[in-house]
């Protein structure tokens, strides 16, 4: 099947190239962001300007920098367990996991900065050493894991996952169960008191001291200088490196599938406000210029967002510098319904997502508070089983659909006023809760793909093409018609450029009358000089 798909793709690309060459009247701005870009791969820019700055990606510290530095912004997941120990932080070299370049987090940020990319470090999960004095929790989790070991199959039918699977998955793997917990607080202390999270917040403050602009006394830096092993270079006590970065506090505190299951993983909005306030204070004390992002919520839950903001206000605490959400387009999404009902293979184009425009209320909410909104996770999987699998349709493979839908999602978020958006993920990554969810949503193939480790998928080629096309363009206004999406941009010299696509999934390729011109438009995002 893979050979047949490859053959079909090559034929389609040849047809597309022939069409592009035979129809100069399209006035496409080279490079045109369409399927043609899968055979065009000119050098990517080293500094994003204009609307290209709004295009980002999620990644991990081991995702190759050479592939991620094309983005203006990347959101990188750092488990607190990777970088912290009871004796202090280990960043260069990193305590656990690995980075690219291999030296550590210092080198990783510098490598991205050198290409004009700003990493947002998402520090989340509870370090294993936080639990050392709470052995009863580990005993409990081990017992629960054992009780489910013979009954829970993560690859089974997804129909009962929302009701039972989340709880079972949380305790099935003890190693994952522990880090998923909220930061440990002393017994009897309040989960809605920022002081309860002081130990965890210290991690954020120390990261800000190291990479921020301000120098701090060396003796007060919390750094583990002991080598990890013989001949291992020690971490140094340094601060004020003056690198360009941001920090994001936790990830998805509103994991609704854990609410009421006794794990403590779900944060009530007031509880997350306390954690955020503690971490924000530590970061800003180290360097007030470091941008602080709230955690991405799991979806369009306005009640949660409102209660979170109201809790911060009631405590007299500052709001996040950037509000943040996650949203995945699925055919099961419904307007104003949260949580959603998903099923296998239900990923869809953003325009077929009934709740996609629900982001508007969050754009307005952020503006009301004088803040930008980021959507730092969206995307779809290219293989099943997965709720977010893009099933082949209209003659397109799953990988081709991913390329088309990811680019259209970036543009739709921009059209609706979102400040920046980031696809999940930079590369395919194992570790799904329901057997396949988000394991192959990457722009790059993963490390488990023989012969293709970190090689570009069609979506990576398409997205880098989109970035090139947006370089130096300023979004002016939405000029969509009833049936065709169209966005007006202007160049730095004042000339106009139109981005257009059919918001369908039918393989449509036909003429459209836009802005006084008749243009040949496809279902992939294209740019036309006016």
């Amino acid at each position: 099947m893979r050979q047949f798909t490859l053959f079909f793709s090559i034929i389609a690309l040849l047809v597309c190239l022939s069409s592009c060459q035979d129809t100069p009247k399209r006035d496409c701005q080279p490079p045109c962001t369409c399927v043609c870009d899968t055979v065009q791969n000119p050098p990517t820019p080293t500094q994003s300007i204009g609307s290209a700055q709004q295009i980002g990606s999620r990644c991990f510290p081991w995702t190759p920098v050479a592939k991620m530095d094309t983005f203006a912004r990347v959101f990188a997941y750092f488990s607190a367990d990777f970088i912290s120990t009871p004796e202090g932080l280990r960043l260069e070299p990193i305590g656990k996991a690995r980075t690219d370049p291999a030296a550590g987090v210092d080198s990783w940020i510098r490598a991205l900065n050198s290409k004009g990319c700003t990493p947002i470090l998402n520090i989340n999960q509870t370090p294993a050493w936080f639990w050392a004095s709470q052995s009863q929790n580990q005993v409990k989790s081990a017992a629960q894991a054992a009780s489910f070991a013979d009954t829970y199959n993560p690859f089974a039918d997804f129909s009962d996952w929302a009701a039972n699977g989340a709880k079972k998955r949380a305790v099935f793997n003890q190693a994952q169960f522990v880090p998923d917990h909220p930061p440990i607080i002393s017994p009897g202390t309040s989960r809605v008191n920022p002081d309860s999270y002081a130990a965890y917040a210290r991690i954020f403050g120390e990261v800000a001291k190291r990479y921020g602009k301000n120098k701090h006394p060396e003796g007060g830096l919390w750094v583990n200088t002991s080598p990890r092993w013989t001949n291992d270079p020690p971490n140094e006590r340094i601060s004020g490196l003056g690198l360009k970065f941001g920090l994001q506090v936790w990830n998805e505190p509103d994991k609704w599938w854990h609410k009421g299951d006794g794990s403590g993983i779900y944060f009530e909005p007031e509880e997350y406000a306390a954690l955020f306030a503690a971490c924000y204070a530590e970061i800003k004390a180290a360097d007030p210029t470091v941008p602080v992002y709230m955690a991405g919520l799991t979806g369009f839950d306005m009640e949660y967002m409102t209660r979170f903001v109201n809790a911060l206000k009631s405590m007299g605490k500052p709001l996040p510098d950037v509000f943040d959400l996650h949203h995945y387009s699925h055919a099961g999404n419904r307007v104003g319904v949260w949580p959603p009902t998903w099923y296998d293979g239900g990923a869809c184009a953003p325009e077929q997502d009934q709740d996609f425009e629900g982001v508007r209320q969050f754009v307005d909410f952020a503006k009301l508070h004088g803040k930008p909104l980021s959507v730092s996770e969206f995307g779809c999987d290219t293989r099943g089983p997965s709720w977010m699998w893009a099933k082949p349709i209209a003659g397109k493979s799953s990988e081709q659909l991913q390329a088309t839908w990811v680019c259209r999602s970036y543009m739709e978020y921009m059209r609706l006023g979102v400040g920046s958006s980031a696809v999940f993920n930079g590369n395919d990554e194992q570790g799904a809760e329901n057997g396949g969810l988000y394991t192959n949503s990457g722009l790059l193939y993963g490390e488990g793909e023989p012969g293709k480790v970190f090689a570009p998928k069609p979506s990576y080629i398409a997205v880098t093409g989109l970035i090139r096309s947006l370089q130096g363009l300023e979004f002016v206004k939405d000029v969509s018609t009833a049936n065709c999406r169209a966005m007006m941009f202007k160049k730095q010299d004042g000339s106009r450029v139109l981005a257009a696509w059919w918001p369908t999934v039918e393989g449509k390729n036909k003429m459209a009358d836009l802005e006084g011109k008749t243009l040949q438009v496809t279902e992939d995002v294209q740019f036309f000089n006016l």
Side-chain angles (χ1 to χ4, degrees), residues 492-512:
Q492 292 172 317
D493 63 7
S495 59
R496 299 184 305 157
V497 174
L498 186 73
W501 66 96
W502 294 109
T504 53
V505 190
E506 304 166 1
K508 187 181 291 187
N509 182 348
K510 67 178 186 178
M511 309 305 287

Side-chain angles (χ1 to χ4, degrees), residues 177-379:
F177 177 73
V178 174
D180 270 354
H181 272 67
I184 192 68
I185 57 178
S186 300
T189 57
S190 172
R191 282 174 58 112
V192 297
N193 183 349
D195 294 341
S196 301
Y197 302 95
Y200 195 78
R202 186 181 186 186
I203 297 172
F204 286 82
E206 293 298 316
V207 171
K209 288 178 182 178
R210 188 177 188 92
Y211 301 125
K213 298 177 180 178
N214 298 333
K215 293 288 185 180
H216 296 267
E218 183 178 320
L221 300 177
W222 188 46
V223 177
N224 188 338
T225 59
S226 299
R228 296 170 299 176
W229 48 75
T230 303
N231 297 324
D232 181 47
N235 271 253
E236 298 180 18
R237 288 191 175 93
I238 53 177
S239 63
L241 291 177
L243 303 181
K244 194 172 182 180
F245 73 106
L247 286 167
Q248 187 169 37
V249 180
W250 204 252
N251 180 54
E252 296 186 341
D254 62 326
K255 290 183 172 70
W256 48 268
W257 53 95
H258 285 298
K259 187 174 184 178
D261 68 1
S263 69
I265 293 173
Y266 176 85
F267 283 81
E268 292 292 344
E270 296 76 15
E271 296 170 345
Y272 176 63
L275 168 63
F276 178 85
C279 296
Y280 183 98
E282 287 288 327
I283 295 166
K284 295 298 186 177
D287 184 346
T289 68
V290 175
V292 183
Y293 290 65
M294 68 171 287
L297 301 185
T298 58
F300 295 163
D301 189 344
M302 181 53 78
E303 179 186 354
Y304 194 102
M305 181 74 84
T306 302
R307 285 174 55 189
F308 164 67
V309 168
N310 288 342
L312 287 173
K313 290 180 177 179
S314 68
M315 292 187 290
K317 303 296 184 181
L319 300 183
D321 296 325
V322 183
F323 289 115
D324 198 86
L325 294 168
H326 297 166
H327 183 75
Y328 289 86
S329 291
H330 191 282
N333 291 347
R334 295 292 181 267
V335 177
V337 176
W338 189 258
T341 300
W342 287 355
Y343 48 83
D344 187 27
C348 67
E351 301 87 0
Q352 275 70 59
D353 173 0
Q354 292 187 25
D355 199 30
F356 191 88
E357 295 213 3
V359 75
R360 288 182 185 271
Q361 62 180 322
F362 292 91
V363 170
D364 293 340
F365 184 85
K367 286 182 179 178
L368 179 66
H369 294 89
K371 306 292 183 179
L373 175 70
S374 169
V375 175
S376 66
E377 275 195 26
F378 71 90

